[in-house]
Amino acid sequence: MSTQKFATNALHAGHDTNNTQGTRAIPIYQSTSYVFNNTEHAANLFSLAELGFIYTRLNNPTNEALQNRLAALEGGVGAVVFASGTSAISTGLMTLLRAGDHIVASSSLYGGTYTLLSVTLPRLGITTTFVDASNPENFKKAVQENTRAFFVESLGNPKLDVLDLKAISKEAKAAQVPFIVDNTVASPALLNPIEHGANLVIHSLTKYINGNGTALGGAIIDAGTFDWTNGKFPEFTEPSAGYHGLVYSEALGAAAFTFKLILEGLRDFGGALSPFNAFQILQGLETLPIRIKQHSENALALAKWLEGRDEVAWVNYPGLESSKYYDLAQQYLPNGQSGLVTFGIKGGFESAKKVTDATKIFSLLANIGDSKSLIIHPASTTHQQLDDAAQEASGVTKDLIRLSVGLEDIEDLKTDLEQAFATIDTSVLVE
Ligand SMILES: *Cc1c(COP(=O)(O)O)cnc(C)c1O
């Protein structure tokens, strides 16, 4: 594993220029397939007697560079990239679980993940108990005999709850199940869940890691620390019918899950990342350390400014002293709390719609983590499919506006919000 520091790894890990004809940038290997030397070589590749490239659904040199870089940045033994963050999550869970299995998850999750767990996976026999993750004891209470994973977000989107990852990881260890942490909002530049006991880390690369709003992508980073031989995961310890009798835990040791994700997850579900997108994401990743610092600074400054505004009912940013997550944020995110800020606008649903319609620099759209500032009203958009109780549990109130604070000059961002606030009905301000 690399001993270099984060910012150096963000620029160099996973790329040996000797393997790319000296190119300083990582090339886009836009090829679906790779020529085998002969049939014996091909047979060796398929049987894993030799490692090499077969077909871009399984592996690709550009994607592999991104995988190795992400593994270095999160401190894992391996990583696999996917067509989107959602593909990473669904393929990861489908590779890990079978019908009859059960997940314990935080109720504060990205909307798409929440519906995957609450609606789609139950259709396939995989159920989830959602818990209030602010109390790690709740995970223990929800464990069943068939529980096979804990799933949380290190910094919940959009509730912005900071979790006590160490305490939850202890409960996962006691239950002998992998602790899966979606680290998208924090990014590896601010938080490394593996240091706090996570076994698998998930990213939507679409967000801060790419940072330019130009490419979808996702990843799973495997810490290599989970004991698949504990009796709960026979698919790792018995000959795999899906891969000519391979016993993953014996043949691949700490990298068992990484390989299962490639050999079965990508093979069967097909969510491969386009090498062109991998290239775009690599460009973004190079500047992640400096971008996330500025996102965090701008977000904190704007959150403080919002706290002083008459139009604003409440402000939620884990870096604010008024936040109930402030202490956990100082512990887990001491170098910045990333770029998302949520706040309640006086006048509720109607005012929230007016403000999100009126901003000029903040773009109204369903993404986060772009260098450009973004705004959304989750109750009418991203979390619209959730019923009132589920909206409440995921922290989405009717008056909530989510900002993804970009890298623009902070004074321009304040001016933009100020003119948008001027559109709301002033009678709501006297409340
Ligand atoms: C966006 C997001 C996802 C889904 O990623 P896509 O790349 O949009 O599929 C998952 N988790 C979190 C926390 C996200 O913000």
Side-chain angles (χ1 to χ4, degrees), residues 202-214:
I202 288 182
H203 280 287
S204 166
L205 304 172
T206 316
K207 315 293 172 57
Y208 288 103
I209 288 181
N210 174 287
N212 297 302
T214 57

Side-chain angles (χ1 to χ4, degrees), residues 109-112 153 155-160 184-185 207-208 302 306 314 316-317 339-345 352-353 355-356 359 362-370 373-383 394-406 417:
L109 293 178
Y110 175 71
E153 291 176 9
L155 185 52
N157 176 12
K159 197 174 180 180
L160 305 182
T184 299
V185 177
K207 315 293 172 57
Y208 288 103
L302 205 61
L306 286 166
W314 53 268
N316 178 27
Y317 182 69
L340 300 192
V341 176
T342 59
F343 66 95
I345 189 84
K353 279 180 34 183
V355 169
T356 50
T359 54
F362 283 89
S363 303
L364 171 59
L365 56 78
N367 191 19
I368 58 167
D370 196 318
S373 285
L374 316 172
I375 190 167
I376 202 152
H377 178 219
S380 62
T381 55
T382 53
H383 285 62
S394 60
V396 173
T397 48
K398 304 272 181 220
D399 63 344
L400 181 149
I401 292 174
R402 185 187 71 195
L403 303 177
S404 174
V405 182
L417 289 178

Side-chain angles (χ1 to χ4, degrees), residues 71-122:
L73 293 176
E74 282 287 17
V77 295
V80 182
V81 292
F82 298 87
S84 67
T86 303
S87 176
I89 295 170
S90 56
T91 308
L93 294 176
M94 299 287 272
T95 303
L96 184 65
L97 305 173
R98 48 164 83 183
D101 286 349
H102 172 253
I103 302 167
V104 183
S106 164
S107 58
S108 163
L109 293 178
Y110 175 71
T113 308
Y114 190 88
T115 39
L116 172 71
L117 298 184
S118 63
V119 179
T120 307
L121 288 183

Side-chain angles (χ1 to χ4, degrees), residues 28-37 41-42 45-46 52-63 272-273 275:
I28 307 171
Y29 287 88
Q30 195 69 24
S31 181
T32 55
S33 342
Y34 308 85
V35 178
F36 305 130
N37 301 337
H41 176 221
L45 293 178
F46 278 102
F53 298 102
I54 297 175
Y55 187 59
T56 284
R57 173 150 41 75
L58 303 174
N59 50 14
N60 169 282
T62 312
N63 293 15
L273 180 66

Side-chain angles (χ1 to χ4, degrees), residues 40 55 256 295:
E40 188 192 345
Y55 187 59
H295 279 295

